[in-house]
Amino acid sequence: MSDARALPRRPDRFFPLAVGGAAVAIALLFLIYPLANAILGAFVRNGQPVTFANLTLANFERFLTSVSYQRALWHSITAGAAATALATAISLPMAYAVARVAMPLRATVLAVSVLPLISPPFIGAYAWIILLGNNGIFTNLLRDYVGVGLPSIYGFFGVTVALALSYFPYVFLVLQGALAAVDTHIEEAAAIAGASRWRVLRTVTLPMILPSVAAGMLIVFIKAIGDFGVPSILGGEYQVLPTLIYYQIHGFFNLNGAAAIAMVNVALTLLALGALAWINRARAVATVSGTARRAARPLPAPLRWSAIFYVWLVLVVANLPQAVTVLYSFSERWGDTLLPSIYGLENYRRIVGEIAGPALNSVILAGAATIVCLAFGAITAHAATRGRIAGRWAVDLIIMVPFVLPGLVIGVAYLAAFNEGALVLTGTATILIMAYFTRRVAFVFRSAAAAILQLDRRLEEASTICGASWATTMRRVILPLIAPALLAGGILVFATLIGEISVTVLLYSARWKTLTIAIYEYLLGNDIAKASAFGTVTIVMTFALVAAASRLAGRNMADMFR
Amino acid sequence: MLSIRELTKTFASPSGELAAVDRISFDVAPGEFFTMLGPSGCGKTTTLRMIAGLETPTSGAIAFDGRDYTRVPPQQRNIGMVFQSYALFPHLSVFENVAYGLRNRGVKGTELERRVAEVLGALQLDGFKTRLPSTLSGGQQQRVSIARALVYRPSMLLLDEPLANLDAKLRIQMREEIRRIQREFGILSLYVTHDQEEAMAISDRLALFNAGRLVQIGRPGDLYRQPATLFAADFIGRANFFAARLAGRDASGAKIALAGGPELTVARVVALAPEEAARVPADVDGLLMARPERIGIAPGSRGIRARIGRMQQLGGCQRYIVAAEAAVGEVTVDSWRAGEEYGEGADAALTLDGSDCVLFLRPEKSA
């Protein structure tokens, strides 16, 4: 019959090959090359080309000889560990309460719990100075009315607390998920066997979620040792590896030296990552299939209300920095009182002329990066979940490693890779866009991969059988079906990029100054009023976008960060 | 005509190469309804998917009307396929689902509308054009998926367990429907199922698969009456086995003696493959196979001595599960004689007619 003649004649290999080839080229150029280059660069003296003869460990010698290097390493480890411990201590009871206690507004609690993750940590860090700094509101109130002096917020104490409060949601979410998944029948069996409530918790529940506790802790640790914003605001003389990298570049433009520090930072991260992978394997075995049933045994009322109170207390304290930033932006005078004495829009009037440029830059850069993430993420996700390509794990690795590496490390790698040679991108929008893409493509990749995995594979086969080419199947079947997931992933990328600083701070130029850089400069210049107005705009934008994404995906905001 | 020659598919497995499909050959005539039947994992679906072009054969050839299809991508084979999960595009309306293959062939406008309407009409789906698949019942989704496969007049129709997701009653209805549509379109159809009753009811011919091999091909009645292996005898219908000793042979067939029972002459004699010969008890020469409705049951002791274990009333007939002295395993007897019932635990005698039976002999006794 004549129909068959209209079928595509050309072997259907061109499109997948072209698209796949482009994806591989991008991965090679913007994911693998900069990192490989930085690794090699760390073993060469500053300014020298990478040759076998030039290889040296000189850049690492500083860790043996320089006190400031050793301190920074030590500070990274101790502040990271302390922040992790604090975050876990906060999260354990909170996760138990949210998972097991009959809690009003549980969905709201979960959504609010991720707000600290969404707002840029360095903006929050500054709010702690407003509250608890040498001339902070609480500091002054306590000194004047109670007569108590607070320890200085600068240094170990402030960095640890701010990091813990910024990143605790990661461990909280993992724990809450694990606790909700534990089959409550097991606990009931223990109770029927005569164990007290406390004994059940200690001998049954906690051991079962222990791998999850460890996994959550490692995520917090990885995030904490990679954070630049918080220590750069609250650290002062207290340096950590990311700030040390920053000063190596800003002070000396010593790319190779910075690369060496970055490698140490990476080594710490990979160590934690390896432990995480190991624990996750154990977790996969131990995870009990979750009956969605909630614990049947209600807590006595006083205990229950204390639990609810505790949960909200944590939420309020963790979101205090964001609240203070917003409040400050609307205040015209905030002296020695708990709340501002005069409210007004003066701060916004002052930034009207200045915000348009950086805001537009942020939107353009984040928007372009989001588009690249969407195209690349969707294609690689399809290849990784459906393709018959060898080495899917390699795709996973290439996408996930830049995601977990500290932003400063990516920044250093990009500077070193694209500062000279065949492809010079320093100072351009492209370098920021591609660095953003590198750090965020995992959001789209994971979201798209999850959506594709849920699609019946037969849909693609049915489309093929019906005579559709690869491109037609993509355009008419797969893309429409994963569009909501793609969009949600894209918005998440966009939203979190609006608040990005750790890569931006190394790669931005006068032409491409972003919102976050503007805020950072105001903070360094002590213009808190403008910074808070800028910060409020940033926070509101990101919150609104993430809320929209969660709406689109039909998921709780909290689930987008699990 | 579809020709499959020496088709083989091997997969790498921890214990080495594993042949999911092992040197399968058969032909399917134009307009024929051909079924591939077998237990799960027997290779029938892999074979179908190779014919569809969704899997690449390790070796062997697939040809249609003299053209080699073996390496042709599925888009260019012009086939229709119905999946077990229906695989309807959930974001497209019934109309667009059905129109999908036509659009890929560049059919547009009124021609497109006319042809979609035509096939929707043939499947009694006229009123559903604008509905989304999720709003349809299982049976309706099934029809849409058949319509989608037939609308572009494919050169063959492949059906991969299309009824597995339907409830028992609808399954029987739909299989009649599929057969009717297949006749109406006169299309060569390849059907995969693990349900032998379904296969028998629907097919012109069927191919029985086991462990990647083709066991037997034939019309449904042939496979039932003349199974070529013990597996085929067991898989299609119910089979009863009796331990048999070979007493002699002549032109009319093999003469056998059953333990404690009479001698029989059996015309249909099959030599067992070595791997199946192990099922023959050590002290005898072979197994005599008889279908439940071909065994007589009577009071007294003139025949094979038996004791009634359980009786099941199946409506049309009584089924007796019986322990008999010559039998290998339990014997199932379906008795159609009305009014005659035996109580559980009663003694009875079984009678066999050699012309209804198949004798499976040890390979060394078959010469």
Side-chain angles (χ1 to χ4, degrees):
Chain A
M1 305 227 175
S2 60
D3 283 348
R5 242 162 266 148
L7 286 173
R9 292 276 100 185
R10 182 170 36 76
D12 192 33
R13 298 207 180 91
F14 172 74
F15 257 107
L17 272 185
V19 175
V24 169
I26 288 179
L28 281 176
L29 188 57
F30 292 105
L31 291 173
I32 297 172
Y33 165 63
L35 286 176
N37 184 57
I39 293 171
L40 289 177
F43 294 96
V44 175
R45 273 180 215 280
N46 195 25
Q48 288 185 341
V50 179
T51 62
F52 191 73
N54 282 344
L55 290 184
T56 168
L57 286 175
N59 294 318
F60 294 93
E61 265 169 33
R62 295 271 188 90
F63 281 100
L64 297 177
T65 57
S66 157
V67 178
S68 66
Y69 273 56
Q70 290 167 356
R71 280 211 183 121
L73 176 59
W74 179 241
H75 290 163
S76 269
I77 295 171
T78 48
T84 306
L86 184 57
T88 312
I90 296 170
S91 298
L92 253 177
M94 181 167 167
Y96 188 83
V98 174
R100 292 301 172 76
V101 177
M103 173 142 318
L105 303 174
R106 190 190 312 270
T108 313
V109 168
L110 280 171
V112 173
S113 76
V114 294
L115 293 186
L117 288 184
I118 301 168
S119 64
F122 77 100
I123 298 179
Y126 205 84
W128 288 117
I129 295 181
I130 298 176
L131 289 173
L132 301 172
N134 295 340
N135 198 24
I137 294 164
F138 282 171
T139 320
N140 292 345
L141 284 174
L142 284 174
R143 190 188 54 223
D144 296 350
Y145 295 100
V146 191
V148 179
L150 283 177
S152 168
I153 193 169
Y154 295 98
F156 173 78
F157 174 68
V159 170
T160 303
V161 171
L163 284 176
L165 287 175
S166 290
Y167 292 121
F168 87 90
Y170 282 118
V171 62
F172 162 70
L173 289 176
V174 169
L175 286 182
Q176 190 266 337
L179 278 167
V182 168
D183 186 351
T184 49
H185 287 134
I186 299 174
E187 291 170 353
E188 287 170 1
I192 285 166
S196 68
R197 200 180 281 277
W198 168 243
R199 198 179 163 80
V200 171
L201 187 67
R202 196 167 50 82
T203 60
V204 177
T205 314
L206 279 180
M208 278 169 79
I209 62 160
L210 213 55
S212 299
V213 178
M217 287 177 79
L218 284 165
I219 298 173
V220 173
F221 183 73
I222 289 169
K223 287 287 167 186
I225 60 171
D227 192 276
F228 166 74
V230 168
S232 76
I233 300 286
L234 288 176
E237 298 291 303
Y238 184 85
Q239 290 221 331
V240 292
L241 292 175
T243 50
L244 191 66
I245 296 174
Y246 177 74
Y247 291 118
Q248 274 299 311
I249 289 180
H250 258 231
F252 311 101
F253 204 74
N254 182 351
L255 274 175
N256 302 74
I261 308 168
M263 285 312 118
V264 174
N265 203 340
V266 169
L268 270 184
T269 310
L270 290 184
L271 220 59
L273 209 58
L276 183 61
W278 184 71
I279 285 166
N280 272 341
R281 214 170 311 145
R283 207 150 69 111
V285 177
T287 302
V288 193
S289 70
T291 52
R293 229 165 54 90
R294 297 272 169 217
R297 291 198 306 158
L299 281 179
L303 259 179
R304 177 174 167 238
W305 285 108
S306 332
I308 294 171
F309 173 77
Y310 171 77
V311 168
W312 281 100
L313 181 71
V314 172
L315 291 180
V316 166
V317 172
N319 286 296
L320 208 52
Q322 285 77 260
V324 168
T325 307
V326 175
L327 208 55
Y328 204 98
S329 76
F330 288 107
S331 75
E332 290 181 10
R333 188 191 294 161
W334 194 350
D336 294 345
T337 47
L338 190 60
L339 289 173
S341 39
I342 302 176
Y343 293 94
L345 294 173
E346 180 57 27
N347 296 329
Y348 289 93
R349 239 167 266 134
R350 283 177 59 211
I351 63 162
V352 161
E354 298 172 32
I355 197 168
L360 190 63
N361 285 344
S362 280
V363 169
I364 290 172
L365 294 170
T370 305
I371 290 167
V372 183
C373 283
L374 282 176
F376 186 88
I379 289 162
T380 45
H382 186 258
T385 45
R386 285 293 153 83
R388 274 166 273 195
I389 53 166
R392 279 172 209 189
W393 61 270
V395 176
D396 248 8
L397 194 72
I398 290 168
I399 286 176
M400 294 311 289
V401 161
F403 177 66
V404 293
L405 287 186
L408 262 282
V409 170
I410 303 293
V412 169
Y414 264 62
L415 271 185
F418 303 116
N419 195 43
E420 54 187 21
L423 190 58
V424 178
L425 296 174
T426 323
T428 63
T430 311
I431 195 169
L432 279 163
I433 291 167
M434 294 317 288
Y436 283 177
F437 150 74
T438 308
R439 289 206 68 201
R440 291 291 190 272
V441 64
F443 278 137
V444 176
F445 176 80
R446 289 205 299 202
S447 156
I452 292 169
L453 273 180
Q454 281 180 1
L455 285 187
D456 183 357
R457 200 185 192 120
R458 306 273 179 265
L459 287 179
E460 287 162 60
E461 293 180 353
S463 170
T464 310
I465 294 277
C466 284
S469 64
W470 183 84
T472 306
T473 302
M474 266 292 186
R475 183 172 55 80
R476 288 208 60 204
V477 178
I478 298 174
L479 279 180
L481 287 172
I482 66 168
L486 276 183
L487 208 54
I491 294 177
L492 202 58
V493 169
F494 186 81
T496 54
L497 282 178
I498 294 289
E500 214 291 331
I501 186 155
S502 52
V503 145
T504 319
V505 79
L506 286 187
L507 299 179
Y508 82 96
S509 57
R511 166 68 190 86
W512 291 104
K513 198 150 95 179
T514 64
L515 273 178
T516 46
I517 295 299
I519 298 170
Y520 190 61
E521 285 177 351
Y522 288 134
L523 290 181
L524 293 184
N526 240 337
D527 194 339
I528 309 164
K530 277 189 179 174
S532 65
F534 264 73
T536 302
V537 172
T538 313
I539 290 174
V540 169
M541 255 170 96
T542 33
F543 281 10
L545 284 166
V546 173
S550 88
R551 253 277 161 75
L552 261 173
R555 292 189 297 173
N556 190 297
M557 256 154 70
D559 295 328
M560 309 190 67
F561 288 90
R562 276 191 214 270
Chain B
M1 174 145 105
L2 174 70
S3 301
I4 309 297
R5 287 290 169 273
E6 296 283 304
L7 197 64
T8 300
K9 177 77 180 178
T10 56
F11 293 107
S13 81
S15 52
E17 290 281 288
L18 196 76
V21 174
D22 196 0
R23 285 163 291 150
I24 301 272
S25 300
F26 58 85
D27 290 327
V28 186
E32 192 177 18
F33 198 112
F34 188 88
T35 296
M36 295 189 275
L37 171 71
S40 60
C42 70
K44 58 192 190 298
T45 293
T46 309
T47 305
L48 189 78
R49 288 172 60 80
M50 286 192 281
I51 295 169
L54 297 171
E55 304 270 357
T56 313
T58 309
S59 65
I62 301 164
F64 185 79
D65 284 347
R67 185 183 162 206
D68 181 25
Y69 261 35
T70 317
R71 304 282 156 188
V72 174
Q75 291 95 330
Q76 292 162 38
R77 292 188 183 199
N78 195 38
I79 47 184
M81 186 157 176
V82 176
F83 294 87
Q84 180 176 345
S85 59
Y86 317 140
L88 295 178
F89 306 125
H91 58 303
L92 299 180
S93 66
V94 167
F95 181 91
E96 280 304 327
N97 261 287
V98 175
Y100 191 84
L102 288 177
R103 289 195 193 279
N104 288 328
R105 288 162 172 78
V107 180
K108 291 193 203 62
T110 50
E111 159 90 351
L112 178 91
E113 303 230 352
R114 184 181 62 73
R115 289 181 56 181
V116 172
E118 200 177 278
V119 73
L120 285 179
L123 281 138
Q124 288 140 33
L125 285 165
D126 308 85
F128 297 94
K129 269 165 91 167
T130 56
R131 299 264 291 267
L132 283 178
S134 56
T135 67
L136 302 179
S137 71
Q140 289 161 345
Q141 291 187 30
Q142 175 67 269
R143 287 167 201 270
V144 176
S145 103
I146 296 171
R148 182 179 67 183
L150 287 176
V151 71
Y152 46 83
R153 297 172 200 148
S155 46
M156 60 179 129
L157 180 64
L158 311 182
L159 303 107
D160 185 10
E161 306 231 12
L163 304 179
N165 286 341
L166 300 176
D167 63 53
K169 206 156 196 174
L170 196 55
R171 202 148 57 211
I172 292 176
Q173 223 173 52
M174 273 310 294
R175 83 185 182 205
E176 293 308 312
E177 181 82 3
I178 287 177
R179 186 63 166 141
R180 176 184 70 76
I181 293 161
Q182 187 264 340
R183 287 222 171 93
E184 194 177 311
F185 282 73
I187 186 170
L188 187 163
S189 299
L190 245 74
Y191 190 94
V192 160
T193 182
H194 62 268
D195 181 336
Q196 54 95 12
E197 191 201 317
E198 192 174 295
M200 303 267 284
I202 203 172
S203 318
D204 289 324
R205 279 194 307 150
L206 50 86
L208 180 64
F209 281 67
N210 186 34
R213 299 253 175 90
L214 213 170
V215 175
Q216 192 173 1
I217 294 188
R219 285 173 299 165
D222 298 342
L223 262 75
Y224 186 73
R225 282 189 299 271
Q226 303 184 31
T229 68
L230 290 178
F231 171 80
D234 260 340
F235 195 85
I236 294 178
R238 272 176 186 258
N240 299 301
F241 295 105
F242 298 89
R245 278 201 183 79
L246 192 61
R249 309 188 89 153
D250 60 23
S252 61
K255 288 198 189 320
I256 53 159
L258 297 179
E263 296 206 345
L264 291 174
T265 303
V266 182
R268 292 199 283 269
V269 181
V270 176
L272 282 174
E275 67 265 21
E276 284 198 326
R279 283 179 58 185
V280 180
D283 52 342
V284 296
D285 303 322
L287 291 173
L288 184 73
M289 192 282 290
R291 297 295 183 188
E293 71 281 6
R294 294 290 169 191
I295 300 178
I297 187 163
S301 56
R302 289 174 58 86
I304 302 162
R305 273 198 306 244
R307 171 163 291 167
I308 311 289
R310 295 189 305 284
M311 201 272 283
Q312 299 165 354
Q313 192 62 49
L314 297 187
C317 70
Q318 291 97 41
R319 169 166 292 175
Y320 299 102
I321 313 293
V322 175
E325 64 176 347
V328 177
E330 288 181 323
V331 175
T332 304
V333 181
D334 287 347
S335 166
W336 294 85
R337 257 181 291 173
E340 194 178 87
E341 283 185 18
Y342 302 89
E344 298 187 350
D347 287 324
L350 306 181
T351 51
L352 296 173
D353 183 340
S355 63
D356 291 333
C357 299
V358 179
L359 178 65
F360 293 96
L361 277 181
R362 289 179 184 280
E364 63 271 18
K365 295 286 181 183
S366 325

